[in-house]
mmCIF file of all heavy atoms in Angstrom:
data_model
loop_
_atom_site.group_PDB
_atom_site.id
_atom_site.type_symbol
_atom_site.label_atom_id
_atom_site.label_comp_id
_atom_site.label_asym_id
_atom_site.label_seq_id
_atom_site.Cartn_x
_atom_site.Cartn_y
_atom_site.Cartn_z
ATOM 1 N N ASP A 31 0.945 -3.974 9.813
ATOM 2 C CA ASP A 31 2.328 -4.136 9.502
ATOM 3 C C ASP A 31 2.799 -3.158 8.478
ATOM 4 O O ASP A 31 2.204 -3.087 7.386
ATOM 5 C CB ASP A 31 2.605 -5.563 9.045
ATOM 6 C CG ASP A 31 4.082 -5.807 8.802
ATOM 7 O OD1 ASP A 31 4.805 -6.128 9.774
ATOM 8 O OD2 ASP A 31 4.564 -5.669 7.662
ATOM 9 N N TYR A 36 8.119 1.252 2.775
ATOM 10 C CA TYR A 36 6.968 1.005 1.980
ATOM 11 C C TYR A 36 6.392 2.290 1.421
ATOM 12 O O TYR A 36 5.945 3.148 2.194
ATOM 13 C CB TYR A 36 5.860 0.210 2.729
ATOM 14 C CG TYR A 36 6.260 -1.158 3.225
ATOM 15 C CD1 TYR A 36 5.474 -1.842 4.129
ATOM 16 C CD2 TYR A 36 7.382 -1.812 2.751
ATOM 17 C CE1 TYR A 36 5.798 -3.135 4.588
ATOM 18 C CE2 TYR A 36 7.763 -3.074 3.240
ATOM 19 C CZ TYR A 36 6.965 -3.758 4.121
ATOM 20 O OH TYR A 36 7.298 -4.996 4.579
ATOM 21 N N ARG A 96 16.197 -5.723 7.775
ATOM 22 C CA ARG A 96 17.265 -6.622 7.315
ATOM 23 C C ARG A 96 18.341 -6.603 8.436
ATOM 24 O O ARG A 96 18.354 -5.679 9.221
ATOM 25 C CB ARG A 96 17.953 -6.098 6.041
ATOM 26 C CG ARG A 96 17.001 -5.944 4.866
ATOM 27 C CD ARG A 96 16.701 -7.296 4.227
ATOM 28 N NE ARG A 96 15.864 -7.126 3.040
ATOM 29 C CZ ARG A 96 14.530 -7.088 3.034
ATOM 30 N NH1 ARG A 96 13.852 -7.157 4.165
ATOM 31 N NH2 ARG A 96 13.879 -6.914 1.884
ATOM 32 N N ASN A 127 13.810 -11.639 8.573
ATOM 33 C CA ASN A 127 14.699 -12.266 7.610
ATOM 34 C C ASN A 127 16.041 -12.668 8.172
ATOM 35 O O ASN A 127 17.036 -12.444 7.523
ATOM 36 C CB ASN A 127 14.827 -11.366 6.350
ATOM 37 C CG ASN A 127 13.488 -10.979 5.758
ATOM 38 O OD1 ASN A 127 12.672 -11.840 5.476
ATOM 39 N ND2 ASN A 127 13.274 -9.717 5.625
ATOM 40 N N GLN A 148 10.367 -11.947 11.480
ATOM 41 C CA GLN A 148 9.405 -11.863 10.393
ATOM 42 C C GLN A 148 10.048 -12.490 9.142
ATOM 43 O O GLN A 148 11.142 -12.026 8.726
ATOM 44 C CB GLN A 148 8.926 -10.452 10.155
ATOM 45 C CG GLN A 148 7.778 -10.367 9.173
ATOM 46 C CD GLN A 148 7.201 -8.982 9.033
ATOM 47 O OE1 GLN A 148 7.262 -8.447 7.903
ATOM 48 N NE2 GLN A 148 6.654 -8.385 10.073
ATOM 49 N N TRP A 177 5.451 -13.633 6.386
ATOM 50 C CA TRP A 177 5.059 -12.702 5.268
ATOM 51 C C TRP A 177 4.978 -13.461 3.979
ATOM 52 O O TRP A 177 5.447 -14.608 3.869
ATOM 53 C CB TRP A 177 5.963 -11.473 5.209
ATOM 54 C CG TRP A 177 7.421 -11.650 4.890
ATOM 55 C CD1 TRP A 177 8.479 -11.608 5.761
ATOM 56 C CD2 TRP A 177 8.035 -11.838 3.585
ATOM 57 N NE1 TRP A 177 9.692 -11.755 5.105
ATOM 58 C CE2 TRP A 177 9.455 -11.886 3.768
ATOM 59 C CE3 TRP A 177 7.533 -11.951 2.302
ATOM 60 C CZ2 TRP A 177 10.326 -12.069 2.711
ATOM 61 C CZ3 TRP A 177 8.387 -12.123 1.237
ATOM 62 C CH2 TRP A 177 9.818 -12.159 1.439
ATOM 63 N N GLY A 178 4.265 -12.875 2.978
ATOM 64 C CA GLY A 178 4.061 -13.548 1.728
ATOM 65 C C GLY A 178 3.262 -14.815 1.853
ATOM 66 O O GLY A 178 3.476 -15.793 1.094
ATOM 67 N N PRO A 179 2.230 -14.882 2.717
ATOM 68 C CA PRO A 179 1.576 -16.146 3.015
ATOM 69 C C PRO A 179 0.768 -16.726 1.847
ATOM 70 O O PRO A 179 0.531 -17.891 1.788
ATOM 71 C CB PRO A 179 0.664 -15.833 4.214
ATOM 72 C CG PRO A 179 0.366 -14.370 4.057
ATOM 73 C CD PRO A 179 1.660 -13.767 3.513
ATOM 74 N N LEU A 180 0.371 -15.822 0.924
ATOM 75 C CA LEU A 180 -0.458 -16.259 -0.211
ATOM 76 C C LEU A 180 0.346 -16.279 -1.505
ATOM 77 O O LEU A 180 -0.216 -16.433 -2.594
ATOM 78 C CB LEU A 180 -1.694 -15.396 -0.352
ATOM 79 C CG LEU A 180 -2.594 -15.301 0.905
ATOM 80 C CD1 LEU A 180 -3.709 -14.321 0.706
ATOM 81 C CD2 LEU A 180 -3.168 -16.741 1.179
ATOM 82 N N SER A 181 1.657 -16.037 -1.338
ATOM 83 C CA SER A 181 2.496 -15.972 -2.575
ATOM 84 C C SER A 181 1.865 -14.982 -3.574
ATOM 85 O O SER A 181 1.755 -15.278 -4.771
ATOM 86 C CB SER A 181 2.754 -17.339 -3.162
ATOM 87 O OG SER A 181 3.407 -18.120 -2.263
ATOM 88 N N TYR A 203 -7.397 -20.207 -0.271
ATOM 89 C CA TYR A 203 -6.581 -19.279 0.500
ATOM 90 C C TYR A 203 -6.870 -19.486 2.021
ATOM 91 O O TYR A 203 -5.953 -19.301 2.848
ATOM 92 C CB TYR A 203 -6.747 -17.822 0.127
ATOM 93 C CG TYR A 203 -6.135 -17.584 -1.259
ATOM 94 C CD1 TYR A 203 -6.879 -16.908 -2.255
ATOM 95 C CD2 TYR A 203 -4.905 -18.103 -1.556
ATOM 96 C CE1 TYR A 203 -6.312 -16.704 -3.484
ATOM 97 C CE2 TYR A 203 -4.347 -17.865 -2.816
ATOM 98 C CZ TYR A 203 -5.022 -17.159 -3.769
ATOM 99 O OH TYR A 203 -4.493 -17.021 -4.979
ATOM 100 N N ILE A 219 0.500 -12.244 8.102
ATOM 101 C CA ILE A 219 0.040 -10.881 7.759
ATOM 102 C C ILE A 219 -0.285 -10.820 6.261
ATOM 103 O O ILE A 219 0.397 -10.095 5.548
ATOM 104 C CB ILE A 219 1.106 -9.817 8.144
ATOM 105 C CG1 ILE A 219 2.529 -10.291 7.714
ATOM 106 C CG2 ILE A 219 1.119 -9.597 9.647
ATOM 107 C CD1 ILE A 219 3.593 -9.176 7.835
ATOM 108 N N LYS A 221 -1.578 -9.375 3.015
ATOM 109 C CA LYS A 221 -1.901 -8.028 2.630
ATOM 110 C C LYS A 221 -3.119 -8.039 1.689
ATOM 111 O O LYS A 221 -3.178 -8.877 0.746
ATOM 112 C CB LYS A 221 -0.692 -7.402 1.895
ATOM 113 C CG LYS A 221 -0.986 -5.995 1.327
ATOM 114 C CD LYS A 221 -1.370 -6.035 -0.154
ATOM 115 C CE LYS A 221 -1.951 -4.747 -0.604
ATOM 116 N NZ LYS A 221 -2.470 -4.783 -2.002
ATOM 117 N N THR A 222 -4.068 -7.176 1.926
ATOM 118 C CA THR A 222 -5.137 -7.011 0.963
ATOM 119 C C THR A 222 -5.700 -5.600 0.976
ATOM 120 O O THR A 222 -5.865 -4.988 2.015
ATOM 121 C CB THR A 222 -6.284 -8.015 1.168
ATOM 122 O OG1 THR A 222 -7.237 -7.793 0.140
ATOM 123 C CG2 THR A 222 -6.972 -7.946 2.550
ATOM 124 N N SER A 223 -5.989 -5.113 -0.204
ATOM 125 C CA SER A 223 -6.664 -3.823 -0.411
ATOM 126 C C SER A 223 -8.102 -4.035 -0.926
ATOM 127 O O SER A 223 -8.751 -3.101 -1.303
ATOM 128 C CB SER A 223 -5.894 -2.936 -1.402
ATOM 129 O OG SER A 223 -4.587 -2.797 -1.038
ATOM 130 N N THR A 224 -8.510 -5.313 -0.912
ATOM 131 C CA THR A 224 -9.796 -5.653 -1.505
ATOM 132 C C THR A 224 -10.697 -6.239 -0.396
ATOM 133 O O THR A 224 -10.390 -7.292 0.177
ATOM 134 C CB THR A 224 -9.617 -6.757 -2.601
ATOM 135 O OG1 THR A 224 -8.592 -6.283 -3.519
ATOM 136 C CG2 THR A 224 -10.883 -7.020 -3.327
ATOM 137 N N HIS A 227 -11.507 -9.890 -0.367
ATOM 138 C CA HIS A 227 -10.339 -10.737 0.000
ATOM 139 C C HIS A 227 -10.198 -10.762 1.516
ATOM 140 O O HIS A 227 -9.841 -11.753 2.099
ATOM 141 C CB HIS A 227 -9.046 -10.222 -0.668
ATOM 142 C CG HIS A 227 -9.043 -10.460 -2.119
ATOM 143 N ND1 HIS A 227 -8.109 -9.908 -2.996
ATOM 144 C CD2 HIS A 227 -9.843 -11.165 -2.945
ATOM 145 C CE1 HIS A 227 -8.319 -10.263 -4.218
ATOM 146 N NE2 HIS A 227 -9.380 -11.023 -4.235
ATOM 147 N N GLU A 230 -12.613 -13.109 2.888
ATOM 148 C CA GLU A 230 -12.185 -14.466 2.623
ATOM 149 C C GLU A 230 -11.090 -14.852 3.607
ATOM 150 O O GLU A 230 -11.103 -15.923 4.221
ATOM 151 C CB GLU A 230 -11.707 -14.593 1.183
ATOM 152 C CG GLU A 230 -11.183 -15.964 0.867
ATOM 153 C CD GLU A 230 -10.765 -16.158 -0.584
ATOM 154 O OE1 GLU A 230 -10.819 -15.196 -1.358
ATOM 155 O OE2 GLU A 230 -10.271 -17.269 -0.899
ATOM 156 N N ASN A 231 -10.101 -13.992 3.778
ATOM 157 C CA ASN A 231 -8.912 -14.308 4.594
ATOM 158 C C ASN A 231 -9.321 -14.492 6.059
ATOM 159 O O ASN A 231 -8.769 -15.346 6.759
ATOM 160 C CB ASN A 231 -7.838 -13.269 4.448
ATOM 161 C CG ASN A 231 -7.299 -13.199 2.990
ATOM 162 O OD1 ASN A 231 -7.552 -14.090 2.192
ATOM 163 N ND2 ASN A 231 -6.595 -12.131 2.641
ATOM 164 N N ARG A 260 12.414 -14.124 -2.821
ATOM 165 C CA ARG A 260 12.213 -12.661 -2.692
ATOM 166 C C ARG A 260 13.191 -11.983 -1.779
ATOM 167 O O ARG A 260 13.612 -10.865 -2.055
ATOM 168 C CB ARG A 260 10.783 -12.428 -2.222
ATOM 169 C CG ARG A 260 9.747 -12.825 -3.279
ATOM 170 C CD ARG A 260 8.321 -12.580 -2.824
ATOM 171 N NE ARG A 260 8.042 -11.223 -2.468
ATOM 172 C CZ ARG A 260 6.976 -10.857 -1.785
ATOM 173 N NH1 ARG A 260 6.035 -11.768 -1.460
ATOM 174 N NH2 ARG A 260 6.771 -9.617 -1.436
HETATM 175 N N1 NAP B 301 9.798 -8.268 6.382
HETATM 176 C C1 NAP B 301 9.871 -8.405 5.098
HETATM 177 O O1 NAP B 301 11.003 -8.425 4.541
HETATM 178 C C2 NAP B 301 8.640 -8.448 4.250
HETATM 179 C C3 NAP B 301 8.705 -8.735 2.905
HETATM 180 C C4 NAP B 301 7.555 -8.732 2.137
HETATM 181 C C5 NAP B 301 6.347 -8.519 2.727
HETATM 182 N N2 NAP B 301 6.274 -8.193 4.058
HETATM 183 C C6 NAP B 301 4.971 -7.888 4.734
HETATM 184 O O2 NAP B 301 4.061 -8.962 4.505
HETATM 185 C C7 NAP B 301 2.845 -8.480 3.932
HETATM 186 C C8 NAP B 301 2.282 -9.563 3.077
HETATM 187 O O3 NAP B 301 3.211 -10.022 2.134
HETATM 188 P P1 NAP B 301 2.979 -9.851 0.536
HETATM 189 O O4 NAP B 301 2.096 -8.660 0.263
HETATM 190 O O5 NAP B 301 4.267 -9.904 -0.104
HETATM 191 O O6 NAP B 301 2.246 -11.235 0.150
HETATM 192 P P2 NAP B 301 0.788 -11.842 0.319
HETATM 193 O O7 NAP B 301 0.068 -11.275 1.503
HETATM 194 O O8 NAP B 301 0.987 -13.307 0.264
HETATM 195 O O9 NAP B 301 0.003 -11.394 -0.964
HETATM 196 C C9 NAP B 301 -0.609 -10.181 -1.139
HETATM 197 C C10 NAP B 301 -1.292 -10.224 -2.546
HETATM 198 O O10 NAP B 301 -2.246 -11.240 -2.539
HETATM 199 C C11 NAP B 301 -3.559 -10.665 -2.858
HETATM 200 N N3 NAP B 301 -4.557 -11.277 -2.074
HETATM 201 C C12 NAP B 301 -4.746 -11.172 -0.695
HETATM 202 N N4 NAP B 301 -5.769 -11.879 -0.289
HETATM 203 C C13 NAP B 301 -6.286 -12.493 -1.404
HETATM 204 C C14 NAP B 301 -7.339 -13.385 -1.609
HETATM 205 N N5 NAP B 301 -8.158 -13.797 -0.626
HETATM 206 N N6 NAP B 301 -7.596 -13.777 -2.911
HETATM 207 C C15 NAP B 301 -6.780 -13.370 -3.920
HETATM 208 N N7 NAP B 301 -5.736 -12.547 -3.765
HETATM 209 C C16 NAP B 301 -5.525 -12.108 -2.509
HETATM 210 C C17 NAP B 301 -3.399 -9.179 -2.655
HETATM 211 O O11 NAP B 301 -4.264 -8.480 -3.592
HETATM 212 P P3 NAP B 301 -5.431 -7.540 -3.029
HETATM 213 O O12 NAP B 301 -4.747 -6.373 -2.331
HETATM 214 O O13 NAP B 301 -6.173 -7.146 -4.264
HETATM 215 O O14 NAP B 301 -6.242 -8.389 -2.077
HETATM 216 C C18 NAP B 301 -1.934 -8.967 -2.927
HETATM 217 O O15 NAP B 301 -1.708 -8.773 -4.306
HETATM 218 C C19 NAP B 301 3.266 -7.196 3.214
HETATM 219 O O16 NAP B 301 2.186 -6.342 3.011
HETATM 220 C C20 NAP B 301 4.294 -6.643 4.195
HETATM 221 O O17 NAP B 301 3.640 -5.971 5.235
HETATM 222 C C21 NAP B 301 7.428 -8.168 4.834
#
Side-chain angles (χ1 to χ4, degrees):
D31 183 84
Y36 297 168
R96 302 282 184 273
N127 306 306
Q148 190 175 117
W177 65 256
L180 301 175
S181 298
Y203 291 133
I219 46 171
K221 175 265 167 185
T222 180
S223 306
T224 308
H227 290 169
E230 179 179 358
N231 298 344
R260 293 179 57 194

